Amino acid sequence: MAAFNWDQNDVQFLANMALPVRNLKSILTKSKGARIGQSTVISQKVHTFNPLTPQIINILQDVDAGQAFYQRSDTDRVYHLDIFHERALVDHNIVAASLKKAVDSYNFQFSLNNIVFAETGSDGINADFIDIQTGTGGGRVTGSLNYGKKLSIRRAHENHVHMTVMMPSRHLAFVFYAVLAVENAILALGFELRCNERIVNVKGKEKENEKPDLSAYADQNDSFMQQKSSDTEMSQAVKQHKILKDSLELTNDFDTIEEVQEFLDKVNSGTSKNQLLQNLEQNGNSQHTLERLVGMGIVDIEKKTIKLTNYGIELQKYLLRNTVEIEAHLRKALRVIKPIGIQTGKSKIMNQTFHWRTGCETEQVAERNHCKGELDIAETVCAAAKRMILENSQLFRIECNDFRYLLKEKAAKSEICLIIDSSASMAGQRIRAAKFLVRHLLLTSPDRIGVVLFQENRARVLVPLTRDYSEVELGLREIKPLGATPLALGIKTCLEYLNNTKTYNPLIILITDGIPTMADSSRDPVADALFAAKDIKNYGYGFTCIGLKPHHNYLTQLAECAGGSAYILEELEKEIMVKAVWDQCIKRQQN
């Protein structure tokens, strides 16, 4: 609804908001949440809800939204709104367009109600400081809106529109305009709004052991609400934490700390904007990354030049001095996402699984597995107590069948060879996700890792099977996506290498975002790849492929020919790819 289309009754809307705004402000100053209408919850805190009872919203009174979402050192600057609707994919582009119109309408009415901007020291609401997220994506409403694409974050927002806005409290009336705008966008798309039945204000002291899980909100963004050094005086500890966090986040765009350093050095040396953008394009990045750097307060854009901010200069110096420390944190992050229940590390002791056995079974099992069982006293006593209850016995005693032992069984060893598609379409996020998976497997698996690369009209062994992290890292840095997709050649190269190398129980993992486009022995690249995949099954190698939904039928057929499995994803995302590979590893161990 454009401002100039409003009639006289509409112009009175802002004036009529005086009492609701006063009531809302009273609630928010108490660190509590409030409802606007039936669909919306607002506070300056983090909201959580149980997916089984989404109508009940928890307001975490000790968790400031600005600090949690944007790592700000100040508090009560960011307003957090969740507008609930039926489970559906609400187009974030439409929501953003509606919100920008709401900003124009509010600012228009703000001036018509005889409130002079100069007197309040304000220019009204700035749409640059509004972020959204829906089930289709999100970002800053004035930005590219190409963020929030990670599957986990989209699924977490399929039943509500998440909105944050940073503004002075005197403009609190704007939230009513924002809610109307979002609700109208949802209804215009043909979806229903959902009612929130209850708000529960929760203080940290009441749930000492419960920390909010914000993993669903963790993704790259272009927000202007990220803490900048000029926003407020930060303590040295807070500043160090922010610099370290930003350094780690930048590796999502630049792959390695060295690439981040090289780019910041080019900015600092006065390289032109066009040259810097060309450099980003060559590395699979673009305007998208530049917007993030601006939002993080690292660079400023002035016409044809890009300059480092004061914070950017400080970050650049930190990277130079603390490369080893940052890389250590990166390796730690690579290990963290390993699924619970999988033992990690190179130790032979750690590379074992444990099974419960009763006393009568122990000798046979231990003899079969050539390992001794250790008596578990606690489980033995529990077993005896349970038997005593079942037998209605008054005398506690431990019998043969009550004994419980831990028997160590060595897990099946497996060597992993990844066949990675590095054609032109893999540039950017996809190839970085593939590299992430390689590094993750090397750091969390006790087995050797190898990499075969295929692109254009060739394929090669990029990294022979190894446990050497430095060797793997050097190989990964050589990857530059380009050209066509010679999948058959990639499979043949991998098989030739494995057949001529001493290996133990190899698992082949194919990562690709498309279907073959370059033939090998015939004129049909698709048929060539299927034919080559049959040899994987003939040699008895394990196989799994990770690809995208549009190619579901072909990838499934390829996996069947290879005697393996296929994981079809909406996008090649780091965490989901890791889960897919570990699922496959667990199945191999169980078999």
Side-chain angles (χ1 to χ4, degrees), residues 560-588:
E560 289 176 354
C561 289
S565 58
Y567 289 85
I568 312 301
L569 312 178
E570 291 188 16
E571 187 50 80
L572 299 182
E573 296 180 356
K574 297 175 182 177
E575 291 83 357
I576 300 175
M577 289 172 63
V578 166
K579 184 180 184 303
V581 171
W582 281 114
D583 284 347
Q584 180 67 17
C585 290
I586 290 171
K587 289 178 182 177
R588 282 169 63 83

Side-chain angles (χ1 to χ4, degrees), residues 241-274:
H241 175 74
K242 173 175 169 49
I243 290 176
L244 177 59
K245 178 183 177 298
D246 287 349
S247 302
L248 298 178
E249 279 194 5
L250 286 173
T251 57
N252 289 321
D253 292 291
F254 291 92
D255 190 44
T256 65
I257 290 297
E258 287 75 11
E259 286 186 17
V260 178
Q261 290 175 323
E262 289 173 6
F263 182 80
L264 295 182
D265 288 343
K266 288 179 181 178
V267 174
N268 203 34
S269 65
T271 306
S272 70
K273 179 180 177 181
N274 288 337

Side-chain angles (χ1 to χ4, degrees), residues 44 64-67 72-80 129 165-169 225 227 231-232:
Q44 291 180 296
D64 182 80
Q67 291 182 333
R72 300 189 65 83
S73 59
D74 51 8
T75 60
D76 300 327
R77 291 286 304 280
V78 175
Y79 293 87
H80 177 196
F129 293 92
V165 55
M166 190 165 73
M167 63 184 181
S169 60
M225 287 182 270
Q227 177 74 64
D231 284 344
T232 185

Side-chain angles (χ1 to χ4, degrees), residues 143-262:
S144 64
L145 295 171
N146 289 325
Y147 295 85
K149 297 293 187 179
K150 191 168 69 172
L151 182 60
S152 63
I153 194 171
R154 286 188 283 113
R155 285 184 174 172
H157 292 83
E158 287 181 351
N159 73 331
H160 71 285
V161 174
H162 166 84
M163 172 184 166
T164 50
V165 55
M166 190 165 73
M167 63 184 181
S169 60
R170 58 179 168 270
H171 289 303
L172 189 56
F174 169 71
V175 299
F176 293 93
Y177 289 74
V179 172
L180 284 173
V182 176
E183 286 184 343
N184 287 336
I186 294 170
L187 294 172
L189 290 168
F191 305 130
E192 295 181 357
L193 299 172
R194 286 289 185 260
C195 175
N196 296 301
E197 296 179 0
R198 184 155 57 100
I199 289 177
V200 180
N201 294 294
V202 181
K203 287 190 176 182
K205 293 180 181 179
E206 298 175 23
K207 291 191 175 184
E208 290 181 352
N209 298 324
E210 293 188 17
K211 295 182 179 180
D213 181 7
L214 300 180
S215 58
Y217 290 79
D219 197 10
Q220 301 178 42
N221 64 75
D222 60 343
S223 178
F224 282 177
M225 287 182 270
Q226 293 284 353
Q227 177 74 64
K228 299 180 184 180
S229 56
S230 59
D231 284 344
T232 185
E233 292 297 325
M234 290 187 285
S235 68
Q236 191 62 28
V238 171
K239 186 179 292 186
Q240 286 291 97
H241 175 74
K242 173 175 169 49
I243 290 176
L244 177 59
K245 178 183 177 298
D246 287 349
S247 302
L248 298 178
E249 279 194 5
L250 286 173
T251 57
N252 289 321
D253 292 291
F254 291 92
D255 190 44
T256 65
I257 290 297
E258 287 75 11
E259 286 186 17
V260 178
Q261 290 175 323
E262 289 173 6

Side-chain angles (χ1 to χ4, degrees), residues 341 343 351-359 361-362 365-366 368-369 371-376 379 403-412 586 589-591:
Q343 298 295 331
N351 189 29
Q352 295 170 340
T353 55
F354 296 90
H355 299 278
W356 297 113
R357 298 292 180 184
T358 64
E361 297 175 295
T362 302
V365 174
R368 183 173 67 249
N369 291 281
C371 57
K372 297 181 180 180
E374 179 183 347
L375 178 66
D376 189 290
E379 288 296 325
F403 288 105
R404 295 293 183 267
Y405 296 86
L406 274 174
L407 297 184
K408 301 176 183 179
E409 295 182 359
K410 292 186 178 180
I586 290 171
Q589 287 184 7
Q590 292 174 343
N591 294 333

Side-chain angles (χ1 to χ4, degrees), residues 457-469:
N457 59 353
R458 66 192 183 105
R460 62 189 175 108
V461 178
L462 182 70
V463 181
L465 289 169
T466 183
R467 290 288 320 155
D468 189 331
Y469 189 91

Side-chain angles (χ1 to χ4, degrees), residues 459-528:
R460 62 189 175 108
V461 178
L462 182 70
V463 181
L465 289 169
T466 183
R467 290 288 320 155
D468 189 331
Y469 189 91
S470 298
E471 183 180 355
V472 172
E473 193 61 45
L474 286 173
L476 294 180
R477 291 178 188 178
E478 293 182 22
I479 300 178
K480 302 293 181 184
L482 60 86
T485 311
L487 177 54
L489 189 57
I491 294 174
K492 284 186 175 181
T493 301
C494 178
L495 291 175
E496 182 179 354
Y497 169 70
L498 292 177
N499 290 338
N500 290 288
T501 304
K502 186 177 180 180
T503 60
Y504 185 86
N505 195 26
L507 169 63
I508 298 173
I509 299 173
L510 168 65
I511 302 173
T512 181
D513 68 341
I515 58 175
T517 58
M518 178 70 70
D520 179 43
S521 56
S522 73
R523 296 183 178 181
D524 187 344
V526 172
D528 285 349

